[in-house]
Amino acid sequence: MRRFLFFAMFVGLPLAELYLVLAAAARFGALTTLLLLILSAFAGTTVMRHHGIASLARLRSAMAGGQSPAGPMLEGLLAQIAGLLLVVPGFITDAIGVCLLIAPLRRRLATRMTGPRGTVAGARVRIIEGEFRSRDDS
């Protein structure tokens, strides 16, 4: 299964992207396709800049409020991945990047990856209960 995933990611996806770019160039014209690819790359850098600053602010407010920073951190990471996918030339990666830019989908994916309260999915939390006494040495 891993070999197939590796093959699909590094061989199949670029071939599919190349096919779609060439098909779009044949249908809409080479200049229009090139402008679309440049526009998506510019949008990706803008998204990365905007979401980077916004996710840092959300992370600071979560930590100041005593909440777990896992949710805002993962949402910021997914937004950065969305921007990176927009920068990569091709229409399949652009579609995946645009889907990651939709806030409810991004939040649902982040919640699914971390769990409902910011814990990593599948991780066990071990709580050790006990009492302590403060000893004065004087």
Side-chain angles (χ1 to χ4, degrees), residues 83-98:
L84 183 67
L85 287 173
L86 285 171
V87 169
V88 172
F91 296 118
I92 297 172
T93 54
D94 288 350
I96 296 169
V98 168

Side-chain angles (χ1 to χ4, degrees), residues 11 27-28 30 44 52 64 66-67 79 86 88 90 96 98-99 111 128-129 131-132 134 136 138:
V11 176
R27 175 150 177 125
F28 303 116
Q67 299 173 343
L86 285 171
V88 172
I96 296 169
V98 168
C99 287
T111 302
I128 301 173
E129 293 185 27
E131 298 178 10
F132 72 95
S134 179
D136 292 335
S138 54

Side-chain angles (χ1 to χ4, degrees), residues 15-33:
L15 287 176
E17 291 279 17
L18 183 63
Y19 174 77
L20 282 180
V21 167
L22 291 176
R27 175 150 177 125
F28 303 116
L31 187 61
T32 305
T33 304

Side-chain angles (χ1 to χ4, degrees), residues 9 32 34 40 51 53 59 65 72 76 84 91 96 110 118:
M9 287 290 295
T32 305
L34 184 63
S40 71
H51 279 287
I53 295 169
L59 182 66
L84 183 67
F91 296 118
I96 296 169

Side-chain angles (χ1 to χ4, degrees), residues 68-78 106-125:
S68 172
M73 199 177 333
L74 192 57
E75 278 190 50
L77 177 68
L78 289 173
R106 190 174 60 239
R107 281 191 203 108
R108 177 178 249 175
L109 184 60
T111 302
R112 198 151 202 203
M113 291 172 79
T114 60
R117 295 185 173 229
T119 59
V120 176
R124 290 185 166 183
V125 178

